Amino acid sequence: MKPSFWTPLAAALAAPCVASAETPRTLTVGYYDFPPAIYSDAQGQPQGPVVELTRRVLEHAGYQAQFRGLPSARLYGALKSGSVDLWPGAPGKPELQADTIEGRQTLAQISLNLYYRPDTPPPSIPDSLRKHGVIIIGGYNYWPQVTQMLHDPQLGIRLHRTATHTSALEMLKHRRADYLLDYQIPVNQALKRLGMEALPHIELHQVAIRFIVSRHAKDSQAVVDSLDRAYAEMSAAGEDLSLPE
């Protein structure tokens, strides 16, 4: 029997699809500068090990990342509006709880330390800070209990704000204040840049870094679940997911 007019069309429809795979969904990843973990370089491009780890996890989950650097207040606003899909950042922000879903996997733990000069006795918290100067980095958010302590009127702590970690270390070295409150990863980088020895310090808090997804992103719960699953699969496969200190 001769093939009918419809035979070629039917064969084409039955054949396996050989077209290219569907383009992965792009997720907008917001961040604010936290060098060397994540920051914008001189050309405005995202850099740092958190950038690379985020890209790897998103790719494993079937997404691609588009990074967007913002000041912290604008980043939080973008998560609330849904113009940013996710942030690899610190969970537990009260102002974000209603508008975000936090991942379960911990990407890193970053220590918040109180640094002091070698000629200064180890501090007792909070009594040693009473009526003393503490250097902090402008634009940074701290653990709520630490923020409350810094602004406790009964302690009378004098806050000295500066823009960079290197300038903060220089201020401490030149006795502009007795203590520096800062995160370990950027301080370690700044110490190397300045050629300074490691400083004594006490750890006040460990900050977890997790994927924080906007509830206003499309399929937000599915995005969180897929990123958590991807990270767990990569870890189980023996991939190195650690961040340099």
Side-chain angles (χ1 to χ4, degrees), residues 31-91:
Y31 68 96
Y32 56 79
D33 280 0
F34 188 75
I38 185 168
Y39 63 98
S40 298
D41 63 17
Q43 288 72 44
Q45 297 301 308
Q47 301 292 343
V50 172
V51 173
E52 297 310 314
L53 177 59
T54 300
R55 278 202 180 103
R56 287 168 57 197
V57 176
L58 263 65
E59 287 176 3
H60 189 94
Y63 303 105
Q64 59 185 12
Q66 179 179 3
F67 289 87
R68 183 181 173 193
L70 295 166
S72 58
R74 288 183 58 197
L75 171 60
Y76 294 170
L79 286 165
K80 292 177 181 179
S81 70
S83 58
V84 159
D85 295 308
L86 70 96
W87 168 46

Side-chain angles (χ1 to χ4, degrees), residues 90-93 97 100-104 210-213 224 228:
K93 301 287 186 184
Q97 285 182 351
T100 60
I101 307 172
E102 298 175 357
R104 299 181 304 276
R210 296 177 183 158
F211 288 124
I212 314 295
V213 175
V224 173
D228 278 340

Side-chain angles (χ1 to χ4, degrees), residues 148-161:
Q148 182 179 0
M149 177 186 69
L150 292 176
H151 297 282
D152 186 345
Q154 294 185 355
L155 291 174
I157 296 173
R158 300 188 304 275
L159 297 179
H160 301 263
R161 290 178 173 82

Side-chain angles (χ1 to χ4, degrees), residues 11-230:
L13 293 174
C17 179
V18 295
S20 59
E22 183 180 349
T23 302
R25 174 182 168 187
T26 298
L27 296 179
T28 301
V29 181
Y31 68 96
Y32 56 79
D33 280 0
F34 188 75
I38 185 168
Y39 63 98
S40 298
D41 63 17
Q43 288 72 44
Q45 297 301 308
Q47 301 292 343
V50 172
V51 173
E52 297 310 314
L53 177 59
T54 300
R55 278 202 180 103
R56 287 168 57 197
V57 176
L58 263 65
E59 287 176 3
H60 189 94
Y63 303 105
Q64 59 185 12
Q66 179 179 3
F67 289 87
R68 183 181 173 193
L70 295 166
S72 58
R74 288 183 58 197
L75 171 60
Y76 294 170
L79 286 165
K80 292 177 181 179
S81 70
S83 58
V84 159
D85 295 308
L86 70 96
W87 168 46
K93 301 287 186 184
E95 61 268 47
L96 293 179
Q97 285 182 351
D99 294 285
T100 60
I101 307 172
E102 298 175 357
R104 299 181 304 276
Q105 298 291 340
T106 297
L107 311 181
Q109 293 275 5
I110 298 177
S111 296
L112 175 62
N113 298 331
L114 186 72
Y115 294 88
Y116 53 98
R117 292 185 302 275
D119 62 357
T120 302
S124 174
I125 304 300
D127 291 339
S128 296
L129 304 185
R130 191 181 304 274
K131 306 298 182 182
H132 279 75
V134 175
I135 303 161
I136 61 174
I137 309 298
Y140 270 20
N141 292 310
Y142 300 109
W143 189 39
Q145 286 85 334
V146 171
T147 300
Q148 182 179 0
M149 177 186 69
L150 292 176
H151 297 282
D152 186 345
Q154 294 185 355
L155 291 174
I157 296 173
R158 300 188 304 275
L159 297 179
H160 301 263
R161 290 178 173 82
T162 187
T164 68
H165 307 281
T166 52
S167 64
L169 290 169
E170 293 281 10
M171 289 171 67
L172 184 65
K173 177 181 177 180
H174 294 292
R175 302 178 181 275
R176 293 280 302 278
D178 290 314
Y179 303 103
L180 164 63
L181 180 67
D182 206 347
Y183 293 99
Q184 182 171 323
I185 291 178
V187 165
N188 286 350
Q189 185 194 53
L191 287 168
K192 291 179 182 178
R193 187 180 300 125
L194 293 171
M196 294 174 60
E197 297 291 331
L199 288 172
H201 61 270
I202 59 172
E203 182 180 274
L204 299 183
H205 182 56
Q206 277 207 341
V207 181
I209 302 300
R210 296 177 183 158
F211 288 124
I212 314 295
V213 175
S214 171
R215 291 185 184 273
H216 308 286
K218 179 184 176 182
D219 300 324
S220 56
Q221 187 63 60
V223 171
V224 173
D225 292 342
S226 63
L227 295 180
D228 278 340
R229 185 168 55 251

